[in-house]
């Protein structure tokens, strides 16, 4: 029997000046020929398709026999010793998950049955691109990985702070990560995507455009781990006791609202405190201000999946919350820092394959590949398949199996039985399977030829990127424009810059025009032909905006209060009291860290010295120097920067009359005084100032100072 070699639905297309082929899902295929060698495996076998893993049908599961994918991802998993290849810089904490609404109707998972019941949890936040020693506030995706120690084993929800991803098929994971890492011939830039390799890959991979919009947004510059969302990214299944399945997407929503910083601020924070996010989480938990997230689920059935404009198996797409509301079902609270960073945060091993009965996978090709890759990665990184014996990775429920030996084995089978079936019976015979309690895979019907293809719906690369952009406020849209302009300005190759701007035309013409003008392009380049028509009628989704989902108060934020000897004691006490009542922190910044003497003659310590505490470290600032102190500070460059940066970053500024000369020396003119700069003439003025700070920024100012 013979089979005709398929062409996989490829069509000729052109991106920039290169002739390529485009697959059925719109992916880019660059062919060999002339002086371009043939891509091979490490064994020398020619590769026909490096864009798609082998599946049972275009929407089917990934097949284990795909030797090219396994070799490629296996080699990628083993590229670093011992640092993680991605998510190297991370920070973790312990806590608990408490169910608040039973999901017993849609899943048999024990942890989702009984409201009020708690299970231990460990969470690791991380950046993706940088090394372990990089800084916290890189423009990057943040990992948001949750390990729940349930009665039925460990359940890992290994997600990010962005609900979509760069690629649709795991076979491209080595490529996207290689492209964003330091370029191999020069080993820079570190923890930055602003270079040719990254944007070359993105501009040749239209599937990445949606994620590029998210990474160029304020989502990539979170103010704190405590103020960012988490997403499971993929579509999973929940399966109930009767064997019925529903699709699910997981969301972690911060109880304190969303908040980010601006780019100019991030650059300065990285210089002032490269451990900004770590220190913030450490201080919050150690002071008893435990961060909390709400677990929500989007539940939908096959009928919805079949009628949805996009493929629910496509990890570069989301389901708008306005279309499928997020149902709150639990809460995650972090209340304890680790005892030892290496033993816990560094050695914790998350695997997407770690699920519990009642939760199951879908055929999302990125998820299928991650299930293979993560286990392999942990074995490589931690040196042994016995990494589950490390306390942070070990289940907290009883566990029994016949796995034995290997490096660092701590739990070997006892007695003579290390196999089954066996004749020994009882406890001597060891553990046995349990058809009723054990994990059973949902019996989804699969039918399709073995092929390297993508679903045609995977080919819509621009519609949701456009929807995301139009869902942002004007302020957020400007930030995206400026982020693209900055990043592409660091790209040396003109053709790459032009190609990327061409993609942005499909997202929004004004966005593409703004970036083109910022890059000094003479005209807009040609837009590449989309694999599928762009849906320009998708309604904006308010849930996608940070500024539309901010906090209700200033709790958990920090005031930086600039003081000198002679500070008005009553005014300072009013600020401190109002901040405490709001649930906010106050840090005094003074000429000397030893502190100051107030107008009441009381010596008080300072938290920071002005030369080491720029205003970028605070959410709002208060200027309370005495008249004599102001005279000195006017000649201090860092004091002037403290005020100027707070103004440029659109922060709320409260000031005593004595601080006016310092404000003028810092460049704040009379005509610059706006609704975000509030006088504090008396203690009674403080309450209104704190209430104003709940907006976090006075964004109207930003368009005048152009500091982002």
């Amino acid at each position: 029997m013979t089979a005709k070699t398929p062409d996989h639905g490829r069509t000729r297309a052109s991106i920039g000046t290169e002739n390529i082929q485009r697959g059925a899902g719109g992916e880019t295929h660059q062919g060999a020929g002339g002086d371009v060698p043939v891509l091979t495996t490490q064994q020398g076998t020619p590769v026909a398709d490096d864009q798609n893993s082998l599946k049972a049908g275009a929407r089917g599961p990934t097949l284990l026999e795909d030797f090219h994918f396994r070799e490629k991802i296996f080699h990628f998993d083993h590229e670093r010793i011992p640092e993680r290849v991605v998510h190297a810089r991370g920070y973790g904490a312990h806590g608990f998950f408490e169910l608040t609404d039973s999901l017993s109707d849609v899943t048999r998972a024990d942890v989702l049955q009984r409201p009020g019941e708690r299970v231990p949890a460990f969470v690791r936040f991380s950046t993706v691109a940088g090394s372990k020693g990089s800084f916290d506030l890189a423009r990057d995706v943040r990992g948001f990985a949750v390990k729940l120690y349930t009665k039925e084993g460990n359940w890992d929800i290994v997600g990010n702070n962005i609900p979509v991803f760069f690629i649709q098929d795991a076979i491209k994971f080595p490529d996207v990560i290689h492209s964003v890492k330091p370029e191999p011939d020069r080993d820079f830039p570190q923890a930055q995507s602003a270079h040719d390799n990254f944007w070359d890959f993105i501009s040749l991979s239209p599937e990445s455009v949606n994620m590029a919009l998210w990474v160029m947004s304020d989502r990539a510059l979170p103010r704190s781990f405590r103020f960012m969302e988490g997403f499971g990214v993929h579509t999973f299944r929940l399966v109930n006791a009767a064997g019925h399945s529903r699709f699910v997407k997981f969301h972690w929503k911060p109880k304190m609202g969303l908040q980010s910083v601006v780019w100019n601020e991030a650059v300065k924070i990285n210089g002032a405190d490269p451990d900004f996010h770590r220190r913030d989480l450490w201080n919050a938990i150690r002071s008893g201000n435990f961060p909390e997230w709400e677990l929500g689920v989007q539940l939908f059935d096959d009928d919805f999946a079949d009628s949805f404009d996009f493929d629910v198996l496509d990890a570069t797409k989301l389901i708008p919350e306005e279309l499928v509301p997020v149902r709150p079902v639990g809460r995650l609270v972090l209340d304890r820092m680790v005892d030892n960073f290496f033993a816990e945060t560094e050695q914790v091993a998350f695997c997407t394959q770690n699920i519990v009965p009642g939760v199951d996978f879908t055929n999302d090709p990125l998820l299928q590949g991650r299930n293979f890759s993560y286990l392999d990665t942990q074995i490589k990184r931690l040196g042994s398949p016995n990494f589950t014996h490390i306390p942070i990775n070990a289940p907290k429920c009883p566990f029994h199996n016949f796995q034995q030996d290997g490096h660092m084995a701590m739990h070997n089978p006892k007695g003579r039985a290390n196999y089954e079936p066996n004749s020994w019976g009882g406890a001597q015979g060891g553990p046995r399977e349990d058809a009723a309690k054990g994990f059973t895979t949902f019996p989804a019907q699969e039918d399709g030829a073995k092929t390297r293809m993508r679903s045609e719906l995977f080919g819509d690369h621009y519609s949701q990127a456009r929807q995301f952009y139009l869902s942002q406020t004007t302020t957020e849209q400007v930030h995206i424009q400026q982020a693209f302009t900055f990043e592409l300005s660091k790209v040396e190759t003109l053709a790459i810059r032009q190609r990327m701007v061409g993609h942005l035309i499909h997202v929004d013409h004004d966005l593409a025009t703004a970036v083109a003008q910022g890059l000094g392009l003479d005209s807009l380049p040609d837009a590449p032909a989309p694999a599928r028509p762009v849906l320009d009628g998708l309604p904006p989704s308010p849930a996608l905006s940070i500024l539309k989902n901010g906090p209700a108060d200033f709790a958990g934020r920090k005031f930086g209060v600039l003081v000198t000897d002679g500070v008005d004691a009553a005014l300072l006490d009013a600020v401190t009291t109002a901040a405490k009542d709001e649930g906010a922190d106050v840090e005094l910044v003074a000429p000397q860290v030893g502190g100051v003497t107030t107008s009441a003659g009381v010596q008080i310590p300072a938290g920071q010295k002005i030369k080491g505490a720029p205003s970028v470290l605070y959410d709002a600032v208060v200027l309370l120097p005495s008249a004599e102190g102001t005279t000195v500070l006017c000649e201090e460059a860092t004091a002037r920067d403290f005020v100027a940066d707070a103004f440029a970053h659109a922060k709320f500024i409260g000031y005593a009359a004595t601080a006016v000369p310092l404000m003028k020396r810092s460049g704040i003119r009379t005509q610059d005084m706006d609704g975000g700069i509030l006088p504090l003439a008396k203690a009674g003025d403080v309450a209104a100032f704190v209430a104003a700070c709940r907006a976090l920024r006075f964004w109207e100012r930003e368009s005048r100072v152009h500091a982002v």
Side-chain angles (χ1 to χ4, degrees):
M1 179 177 179
T2 60
K4 181 180 178 181
T5 302
D7 64 6
H8 304 297
R10 296 185 193 177
T11 58
R12 300 295 300 180
S14 178
I15 293 182
T17 59
E18 298 185 43
N19 290 321
I20 63 167
Q21 286 188 321
R22 176 172 285 152
E27 72 277 11
T28 300
H29 293 266
Q30 295 175 311
D35 60 354
V36 178
V38 174
L39 180 70
T40 73
T41 69
Q42 293 202 75
Q43 303 298 326
T45 304
V47 173
D49 187 337
D50 192 41
Q51 314 307 314
N52 299 292
S53 53
L54 187 65
K55 309 175 188 71
R59 299 185 72 250
T62 302
L63 301 179
L64 190 61
E65 69 180 73
D66 188 352
F67 62 88
H68 170 50
F69 165 70
R70 286 187 288 111
E71 179 194 84
K72 183 177 181 180
I73 202 73
F74 180 84
H75 192 280
F76 173 71
D77 294 340
H78 291 243
E79 285 179 359
R80 297 292 185 274
I81 305 173
E83 182 178 284
R84 287 172 167 87
V85 179
V86 289
H87 298 277
R89 182 170 180 81
Y91 211 56
H94 295 273
F96 63 85
F97 170 75
E98 179 181 354
L99 189 69
T100 57
D101 182 19
S102 175
L103 283 172
S104 59
D105 56 327
V106 293
T107 179
R108 57 175 284 208
D110 182 79
V111 69
L112 299 177
Q113 301 298 306
R114 297 169 294 279
E117 190 166 293
R118 296 180 177 183
V119 297
F122 186 81
V123 178
R124 186 178 187 270
F125 306 105
S126 56
T127 53
V128 172
S131 66
K132 181 181 175 183
S134 59
F135 39 81
D136 276 353
L137 253 169
R139 180 183 292 283
D140 200 356
V141 190
R142 296 306 187 282
F144 195 124
V146 180
K147 186 181 291 288
L148 301 179
Y149 302 91
T150 84
K151 295 178 180 178
E152 296 178 308
N154 293 352
W155 179 19
D156 293 353
I157 305 176
V158 193
N160 290 325
N161 74 323
I162 291 175
V164 296
F165 201 62
F166 290 103
I167 55 173
Q168 297 170 324
D169 193 305
I171 200 170
K172 301 307 297 174
F173 199 73
D175 297 298
V176 65
I177 298 302
H178 284 171
S179 76
V180 77
K181 288 286 189 178
E183 298 189 8
D185 57 347
R186 62 206 68 184
D187 199 38
F188 67 82
Q190 174 61 245
Q192 298 177 68
S193 56
H195 59 100
D196 285 57
N197 278 11
F198 177 72
W199 288 106
D200 184 42
F201 177 84
I202 298 299
S203 66
L204 289 169
S205 306
E207 69 198 76
S208 302
V209 170
N210 191 22
M211 182 65 165
L213 264 291
W214 282 82
V215 175
M216 293 300 103
S217 78
D218 293 344
R219 295 275 180 163
L221 298 172
R223 155 65 176 83
S224 165
F225 297 139
R226 299 178 293 135
F227 308 147
M228 68 183 193
E229 286 183 281
F231 302 90
V233 179
H234 306 286
T235 298
F236 290 85
R237 289 183 184 272
L238 292 181
V239 184
N240 66 14
H244 299 144
S245 164
R246 296 194 74 183
F247 294 116
V248 63
K249 282 184 173 289
F250 298 107
H251 298 247
W252 300 103
K253 292 186 175 292
K255 297 290 283 186
M256 303 182 82
L258 302 179
Q259 185 181 349
S260 291
V261 301
V262 297
W263 175 243
N264 181 271
E265 189 179 11
V267 171
K268 294 176 178 179
I269 289 173
N270 285 330
D273 186 3
D275 303 305
F276 184 69
H277 284 157
R278 293 181 171 204
R279 194 182 312 277
D280 175 86
L281 186 65
W282 173 274
N283 288 340
I285 293 178
R286 292 288 290 249
S287 64
N289 296 318
F290 302 141
E292 181 176 339
W293 290 261
E294 183 178 75
L295 174 64
V297 294
Q298 285 181 297
L299 297 169
F300 55 98
D301 56 19
D302 289 278
D303 289 340
F304 173 86
D306 292 340
S307 64
F308 188 44
D309 289 326
F310 309 95
D311 198 316
V312 299
L313 303 183
D314 181 355
T316 68
K317 308 296 190 299
L318 54 76
I319 299 176
E321 295 181 26
E322 294 77 12
L323 199 57
V324 179
V326 175
R327 172 182 168 183
V329 297
R331 67 188 190 110
L332 173 70
V333 178
L334 300 183
D335 58 7
R336 179 169 64 88
M337 294 306 302
V338 300
D339 295 321
N340 183 274
F341 179 84
F342 178 83
E344 296 161 83
T345 305
E346 274 299 289
Q347 291 196 119
V348 67
F350 294 94
C351 297
T352 56
Q353 69 171 37
N354 291 350
I355 56 177
V356 293
V359 180
D360 207 350
F361 309 116
T362 62
N363 292 341
D364 174 345
L366 181 61
L367 174 60
Q368 295 265 318
R370 290 180 78 195
N371 287 344
F372 170 83
S373 178
Y374 278 51
L375 176 60
D376 178 52
T377 296
Q378 306 303 354
I379 293 173
K380 171 63 178 179
R381 190 174 64 84
L382 297 173
S384 165
N386 293 318
F387 67 84
T388 56
H389 297 187
I390 300 171
I392 191 67
N393 296 319
K396 298 186 185 301
C397 64
F399 58 96
H400 312 278
N401 55 60
F402 292 116
Q403 296 171 15
Q404 67 176 36
D405 303 346
H407 289 293
M408 297 174 287
M410 301 295 170
H411 309 291
N412 265 12
K414 295 181 179 179
R416 70 186 300 177
N418 59 357
Y419 62 94
E420 65 88 24
N422 62 57
S423 301
W424 312 123
Q428 185 180 7
R432 296 288 190 265
E433 61 192 42
D434 189 322
K437 294 182 179 179
F439 180 91
T440 54
T441 298
F442 179 73
Q445 295 292 320
E446 306 294 351
D447 181 23
K450 289 193 288 187
T451 184
R452 294 184 185 273
M453 290 185 68
R454 304 185 191 188
S455 162
E456 289 189 9
L457 281 181
F458 276 42
D460 187 331
H461 303 313
Y462 304 111
S463 298
Q464 282 208 354
R466 175 176 173 78
Q467 182 180 38
F468 173 75
Y469 184 74
L470 296 180
S471 299
Q472 307 304 298
T473 64
T474 300
T475 294
E476 292 169 306
Q477 289 181 351
V478 170
H479 292 175
I480 292 172
Q481 295 167 12
Q482 293 172 333
F484 270 112
T485 302
F486 170 81
E487 292 268 323
L488 293 175
S489 74
K490 300 296 183 180
V491 173
E492 299 173 359
T493 307
L494 176 61
I496 297 174
R497 297 199 298 267
Q498 293 174 324
R499 193 161 59 219
M500 194 62 224
V501 173
H503 287 298
L504 297 182
I505 295 173
H506 290 306
V507 177
D508 182 79
H509 194 274
D510 291 342
L511 168 62
T513 300
V515 176
Q517 291 176 347
L519 295 174
L521 299 182
D522 295 332
S523 61
L524 282 178
D526 293 333
R532 290 181 65 84
V534 180
L535 304 177
D536 58 8
L538 297 179
S541 171
L544 303 183
S545 164
I546 288 178
L547 296 187
K548 295 175 185 176
N549 294 277
D553 51 39
F554 204 67
R557 277 71 183 179
K558 181 184 285 189
F559 290 104
V561 183
L562 183 59
V563 295
T564 65
D565 286 336
V567 57
D568 186 317
L571 205 51
L572 178 59
D573 182 67
V575 170
T576 303
T577 300
K580 181 178 179 181
D581 291 344
E582 185 76 4
D585 294 324
V586 169
E587 187 161 73
L588 301 187
V589 182
Q592 292 84 32
V593 75
V596 297
T597 301
T598 71
S599 61
V602 178
Q603 178 74 22
I604 55 174
Q608 296 286 346
K609 177 180 171 66
I610 184 60
K611 291 186 177 180
S615 60
V616 294
L617 302 179
Y618 307 104
D619 298 289
V621 300
V622 182
L623 310 177
L624 300 181
S626 65
E628 296 79 5
T630 295
T631 300
V632 175
L633 291 179
C634 281
E635 305 307 315
E636 172 59 57
T638 53
R640 298 196 299 269
D641 287 345
F642 185 94
V643 178
D645 279 346
F647 178 77
H649 299 146
K651 293 182 179 178
F652 283 90
I653 302 172
Y655 69 96
T658 51
V660 171
L662 176 60
M663 296 166 67
K664 290 182 177 179
R665 281 295 304 273
S666 303
I668 303 178
R669 303 163 300 177
T670 301
Q671 60 265 38
D672 294 326
M673 303 293 280
D674 55 38
I677 304 175
L678 286 77
L680 304 177
K682 57 185 182 303
D685 296 335
V686 173
F689 169 70
V690 172
C693 290
R694 294 168 184 165
L696 301 183
R697 303 290 173 110
F698 189 75
W699 291 116
E700 295 91 330
R701 185 191 308 151
E702 188 180 71
S703 61
R704 294 187 284 114
V705 297
H706 304 293
V708 296

